[in-house]
Amino acid sequence: MKPVSLIQFLIEERRAGRINAELSLLIEVVARACKRIAVATSKGALGGVLGNAGSDNVQGEAQKKLDVISNEILLEANAWGGHLAACASEEMEDPQPIPDMYPKGNHLLLFDPLDGSSNIDVNISVGTIFSVLRCPEHVTEPKVEDFLQPGTQQLAAGYVVYGPATLLVLTFGHGTHEFTLDREVGSFVLSRRDIRIPEQTAEFAINMSNQRHWEAPMQRYVGELLAGKEGPRGKDFNMRWVASMVADVHRIITRGGVFFYPLDAKIKAKGGKLRLMYEANPMAFIVEQAGGAATTGRERILDIQPAGLHQRVPVFLGSRGEVEVATRYHREADVAHA
Ligand code: FDP
C-alpha cells in the first residue's frame, strides 16, 4: 500500500468533515515545530543543549535548556499562521496571546513542550504533549478562564515521542493514529491507523519508590499485582517505568499496560503530580480513543471541570480492565470511609 503522509491524512479528515482547514493547519504547524524539537534533542551534547537553563518554571521545577528551547520553537511556529487565539504552556504562568501584528484564529493550544525532561541528559526518550480547544465565541483576548474547559471539549490531542524513532500520535475524536517521521524525506507517515489498546494486561507502570506514601486502596491494588500467581489476581504482573510519560503511554498504546501516578502524601496538597490541561487531558483523550480508560482513581479525567491552568491530578490510564479494578478499589474505600 502507498504510504499516507500526515498532510494527506489531514486532507482526508477535512474531506470527511471531521476537521476544518484551520485545525488542519494547526496540526501541520505543531508537527513541523516538533520536527525542529526532534532535531534539537537528537544533537545531544554536540548541540550544547543539555543541562539546566538556570531558571525555574511556574511549578518551581528547574528548567532544562531544551525545555526552554522547545517552548520557544512551539510559540514561534504558532504565532503567525492565523489559526490560534492564544497558547498556554507548562513553562509559562499565563497564556501567551497572539502578537497584534498577526491574524487571530479560533483555537486555543496547550502544550507541555518537553515532557520527561529529567531524562534528556541521560539520552532516554522525551516528548511533546498538546491539546487543542475551541476559543469561546466573541473572545478576542483569551484569558485563563477561557482555557478552563473539560477534556471532553478537546478538538484534538496528540504527543510526539523523541525516541529511537520520532513518532506522532494524534486523535480528533475519531480513533487514535500513529505517524512515524521519515527523517530522509522530513515528513510524518501514517504507521498505525485506529490503534486499539488490549483490554486486559499483565504490565503496569508506577514509581514504586512512592509506595509508602500512597493511599490505602493504591497499596491494596499494587500489593495484589505484586503477589502474582499466588495472590488474589491469580497471575504474574511485570513492571516498567521510564519516567517519561510519553514513553510510558506509548508502550501502553503499542502493547497494552496501565500507567499510574496516584495521589501520595508528599503531593496531596498539590492535588497530584501530573498537570490536567496539557498532560492528563490529552493523554486521556488519546487513550480513550484507542479503547482504553483514564481516571483519577475516582472519576473520569475528561469529565473534570478545570479550576486552574496548571492544576494537577492523579492519573490512572491504559488497559480498561486494570484501570477499572484500581478505580473500583478507590471508590469502595471512599464509600467505606464516608
Ligand atoms: P518530568 O517531571 O521529568 O517532566 O511530567 C512529569 C513527568 O516527568 C512525567 O513525564 C513522568 O511520568 C513523571 O514526571 C516522572 O515522575 P517521577 O520522577 O516522580 O518518577
Side-chain angles (χ1 to χ4, degrees):
M1 235 181 37
K2 267 187 87 185
V4 175
S5 68
L6 175 65
I7 306 295
Q8 191 180 337
F9 178 87
L10 293 172
I11 291 172
E12 283 165 7
E13 291 297 290
R14 272 173 65 183
R15 285 195 188 134
R18 291 201 272 263
I19 59 172
N20 62 22
E22 196 176 298
L23 182 53
S24 170
L25 174 65
L26 191 164
I27 299 298
E28 266 185 66
V29 171
V30 169
R32 203 177 316 135
C34 290
K35 283 187 232 171
R36 291 188 55 202
I37 299 174
V39 171
T41 53
S42 68
K43 285 195 196 315
L46 304 183
V49 292
L50 300 185
N52 288 340
S55 49
D56 283 355
N57 67 12
V58 285
Q59 344 267 337
E61 297 156 343
Q63 285 179 310
K64 298 280 181 187
K65 285 184 197 157
L66 269 173
D67 281 325
V68 176
I69 293 168
S70 307
N71 194 51
E72 274 162 15
I73 290 176
L74 279 159
L75 288 178
E76 207 182 288
N78 280 289
W80 54 271
H83 51 284
L84 282 187
C87 283
S89 158
E90 180 188 11
E91 306 301 331
M92 309 181 303
E93 176 103 50
D94 298 312
Q96 168 108 352
I98 296 301
D100 284 340
M101 58 208 201
Y102 299 125
K104 286 202 180 107
N106 296 316
H107 293 88
L108 302 174
L109 174 67
L110 297 105
F111 51 83
D112 178 353
L114 209 60
D115 181 68
S117 52
S118 64
N119 276 327
I120 294 169
D121 295 347
V122 290
N123 200 29
I124 291 175
S125 300
V126 288
T128 297
I129 311 173
F130 62 92
S131 163
V132 182
L133 295 165
R134 186 173 285 113
C135 184
E137 255 182 82
H138 311 304
V139 172
T140 48
E141 308 276 318
K143 306 261 178 320
V144 169
E145 50 273 26
D146 299 309
F147 283 82
L148 302 184
Q149 307 177 32
T152 48
Q153 298 297 312
Q154 291 173 104
L155 300 178
Y159 64 80
V160 175
V161 52
Y162 311 107
T166 294
L167 305 174
L168 163 68
V169 171
L170 186 62
T171 186
F172 295 119
H174 301 277
T176 292
H177 317 289
E178 179 204 82
F179 301 82
T180 300
L181 181 62
D182 180 334
R183 289 182 207 265
E184 278 81 47
V185 178
S187 70
F188 281 104
V189 178
L190 185 63
S191 38
R192 283 191 293 159
R193 198 189 277 272
D194 264 322
I195 297 169
R196 300 312 288 170
I197 300 174
E199 206 170 310
Q200 298 305 331
T201 183
E203 198 162 69
F204 67 104
I206 196 163
N207 184 340
M208 283 296 296
S209 70
N210 295 322
Q211 182 172 21
R212 68 189 187 285
H213 304 293
W214 295 337
E215 295 179 287
M218 201 64 207
Q219 301 272 4
R220 173 188 172 199
Y221 173 74
V222 174
E224 290 183 2
L225 302 188
L226 296 178
K229 257 201 188 89
E230 291 74 37
R233 301 299 305 277
K235 69 174 181 182
D236 289 333
F237 285 80
N238 185 30
M239 201 199 87
R240 286 286 182 272
W241 183 250
V242 182
S244 275
M245 191 191 195
V246 274
D248 279 310
V249 169
H250 196 70
R251 185 186 57 254
I252 290 167
I253 290 276
T254 306
R255 67 179 190 209
V258 65
F259 170 99
F260 300 102
Y261 215 114
L263 215 51
D264 72 45
K266 288 184 299 167
I267 53 174
K268 199 164 182 184
K270 290 181 174 172
K273 157 102 187 187
L274 301 175
R275 278 47 65 110
L276 173 64
M277 300 297 294
Y278 40 80
E279 292 181 317
N281 267 344
M283 289 307 199
F285 193 23
I286 289 164
V287 163
E288 281 199 7
Q289 283 297 314
T295 76
T296 62
R298 288 169 165 100
E299 59 183 323
R300 182 181 177 222
I301 287 175
L302 295 182
D303 285 336
I304 298 172
Q305 174 57 53
L309 197 54
H310 301 288
Q311 180 177 349
R312 295 172 188 254
V313 289
V315 174
F316 294 30
L317 60 78
S319 291
R320 183 165 287 281
E322 289 308 316
V323 173
E324 280 173 4
V325 177
T327 303
R328 176 160 55 81
Y329 285 8
H330 283 73
R331 288 189 183 143
E332 282 172 8
D334 288 351
V335 170
H337 289 102

